[in-house]
Amino acid sequence: MVALLALSPALSAPAREGWHPSFADAQAASARSGKGIFLCFTGKEWSAVCRQFEQHFLADPGFTEMLKKDFEPVQLDVSAFRDMTGKEEDPMPEEARLKLEFEVTTFPVVFLIGRDGRPYAVTGFRPGGIDSYAKHLEKLRESHAQQEALLARARQSSGPRRAELIAQALPDIGAFRMAQFYGDLMREVVKLDPENTTGFARDFEIKLGDHEYVKAMREMDRDLRWSDMLALTDAYIEKYKLTGSELQAALMNRFDILRRQQNFPEMVLTLDEVYRINPYNPHGRQAQQFLAKMAQQIEEQSLLESLQNQE
């Protein structure tokens, strides 16, 4: 089971009837009942879709009754933590900490969490009424049952075949979340298949490395340790021999750090490298835009200095 941090329910709004007041409370109830957890993040103060979800589903007693058959429901409204990045001082409220833990970037978002404490599906607001939503949840639960069956088969296998079954069983919940909650299984795949015969091991190795890189970068960013962030980024690129869009993404991280340091020459060199890798994908186009903007700034600065010299 994934051990989530013990969290304070501070700042949580009073829970509606049938809903738990905090994630910790839902976890405890899940352990007693054997049901999964329906974890919903909303931002009602600034998201119109969240307000629709609230009005048409979350606040409806019929929806709650439907959920309670299979889940322990909990809603966390993160309206006050829209721009939370991890730089804030500890201790953070439950809503803010879990927003980072589950890598929540869009709203509303729902995580279905199994009895083992791991999220196995990501969903959200869906028009169509309670019956339609219930069928949607049932399909997700059926997919989870199939994933559990694959894991059971994997336990009876060995070597690359075991690695392949484990990989096929892992849910599609995003790379960061997969590493966050299924890192132990991903590392097992890497260990079982050192030659990458299944095609999963190399991909998982990079995802795990990226997860550790992001977590370390967040910690350094809190303390404004920019030189350490640059060193870590360069080491990350070298360790995993990044190429293509993966290398571009890491280099754009490097550019962002250099921009904070106002290291103009290195900024230009880094953007130029991103552009030369692939000028046509999103990273390449973004680098081109930054280069054009910086060139314009240089031109404007030169013109200003020229006018000042004439005076």
Side-chain angles (χ1 to χ4, degrees), residues 11-255:
L11 300 186
S12 295
R16 65 176 57 87
E17 185 176 355
W19 291 69
H20 294 284
S22 70
F23 183 62
D25 190 73
Q27 285 179 302
S30 175
R32 293 191 300 268
S33 68
K35 299 177 183 178
I37 297 175
F38 180 95
L39 172 60
C40 177
F41 288 90
T42 56
K44 294 180 292 183
E45 290 185 8
W46 37 261
S47 170
V49 179
C50 288
R51 291 192 290 273
Q52 290 182 43
F53 198 20
E54 178 85 15
Q55 178 182 354
H56 298 294
F57 291 96
L58 304 180
D60 189 324
F63 186 73
T64 301
E65 183 180 358
M66 179 273 291
L67 287 180
K68 292 289 289 182
K69 295 176 183 177
D70 300 299
F71 299 99
E72 301 292 347
V74 57
Q75 177 187 357
L76 300 179
D77 190 76
V78 294
S79 295
F81 313 106
R82 182 177 187 178
D83 299 319
M84 180 69 68
T85 62
K87 300 178 186 178
E88 292 71 15
E89 294 295 325
D90 288 330
M92 285 190 285
E94 177 183 60
E95 299 93 331
R97 194 180 294 275
L98 285 172
K99 177 178 178 290
L100 292 174
E101 186 91 14
F102 282 82
E103 194 71 0
V104 175
T105 57
T106 59
F107 303 91
V109 62
V110 170
F111 296 93
L112 304 185
I113 300 173
R115 291 185 297 271
D116 62 355
R118 308 183 203 240
Y120 62 83
V122 184
T123 185
F125 173 69
R126 294 171 61 89
I130 294 175
D131 289 343
S132 176
Y133 206 100
K135 292 177 181 178
H136 169 62
L137 293 180
E138 181 60 27
K139 288 182 180 179
L140 295 177
R141 291 178 65 243
E142 289 174 356
S143 295
H144 180 50
Q146 294 171 3
Q147 293 162 356
E148 289 185 316
L150 283 172
L151 282 177
R153 288 174 56 193
R155 296 186 190 100
Q156 299 174 357
S157 304
S158 60
R161 178 55 179 164
R162 179 184 176 99
E164 184 177 28
L165 289 170
I166 292 174
Q168 291 173 351
L170 297 184
D172 182 14
I173 57 174
F176 183 91
R177 298 185 195 110
M178 186 186 291
Q180 179 85 342
F181 295 102
Y182 294 87
D184 57 330
L185 294 176
M186 294 172 72
R187 283 186 285 272
E188 185 175 355
V189 169
V190 173
K191 184 177 180 180
L192 287 168
D193 187 18
E195 301 301 322
N196 195 35
T197 58
T198 64
F200 292 110
R202 169 62 177 169
D203 179 56
F204 283 3
E205 186 178 19
I206 292 176
K207 284 183 170 65
L208 287 165
D210 188 56
H211 177 256
E212 292 303 315
Y213 167 72
V214 169
K215 290 179 66 176
M217 289 284 280
R218 283 177 176 171
E219 188 65 28
M220 293 177 184
D221 196 23
R222 293 182 66 173
D223 301 325
L224 305 181
R225 293 160 51 193
W226 293 333
S227 295
D228 290 341
M229 292 170 71
L230 280 175
L232 179 63
T233 299
D234 291 341
Y236 170 68
I237 291 171
E238 177 62 27
K239 179 177 180 179
Y240 293 101
K241 308 297 181 186
L242 299 183
T243 59
S245 62
E246 292 173 345
L247 176 57
Q248 286 179 301
L251 289 172
M252 289 306 295
N253 284 341
R254 192 177 197 279
F255 164 73

